[in-house]
Amino acid sequence: MRNGGRNLPAAGGRGAIFAPLEVGKRADAVVRRLSEGIRLGLLVPDEQLPSETDLAETFGVSPVTIREALTALRGQGLVTTRRGRNGGSFVRRVRGGASDVLRERLREVSPSELRDLADHYAAISGTCAQLAADRAGEQDVKLITDSVAELERSVDAAARRRAESRFQVELASAAQSPRLTRAVISMQNEVAPLLWLSATTPVAREEVLRKHREILAAVVDSDGSLARALAVAHVYAAQARASALQLTFLADDDEADPDAHALPGPTAEE
């Protein structure tokens, strides 16, 4: 899909990615917005970004700021620039070991922090689902449906994580609340590795897909209460899977290094 020039969709989660920046934001904010869009799958591999001039106008910054941001994105391996008649800046495919990312993130947080993160996200996700059921239009429903289809055809953990994150962002966008949408996008950097990579078995992945379909059906039926309950349950089910994996990882670490948690013994001087 190519979206050079002014062919810049403003619907759904993509609209939040390309929304004007707040006053005072510079290249780092552009980098954050576009990198979030790429990692969440809202901007797809090989997609051509708008021109520097159009990006500057869209974000409300100078072309120099855009060039600085694109340079940073190229350095992160998220964007490539091609020269010539059909040149421009294109989204690169994000690669990486999903299991390694999950293990690293689960080591960084305590069980109480994981629970607190899930509580925060459940509150936001539940509200988004309820409002989406009340406010979603045909285009919103189509974008949520597309994200469910994307999850269904995902073949690896990284693709499933992007599809799950996109589902959450499109759900927030359907709530017609820019603040909620920005909050969901921002939280994905914390949530996605911990919660959406934790469905490591075929049974768990099928359960996640079923939850997506059920939430979508509740939105289509304008059943806000059910949509909220399903969205909250979806988050807490992910937390339960992540907590179980966390215990497994800690047990593996203890087995590999049995002295890691041992009390220090007496020193030579003692």
Side-chain angles (χ1 to χ4, degrees), residues 68-84:
E68 183 181 344
L70 291 175
T71 298
L73 289 167
R74 285 194 294 271
Q76 295 176 19
L78 298 177
V79 166
T80 185
T81 299
R82 304 172 191 169
R83 306 296 180 185

Side-chain angles (χ1 to χ4, degrees), residues 48-68:
Q48 183 177 4
L49 296 177
S51 68
E52 291 181 2
T53 300
D54 288 343
L55 282 173
E57 181 179 342
T58 298
F59 285 122
V61 298
S62 70
V64 173
T65 297
I66 294 299
R67 283 193 288 274
E68 183 181 344

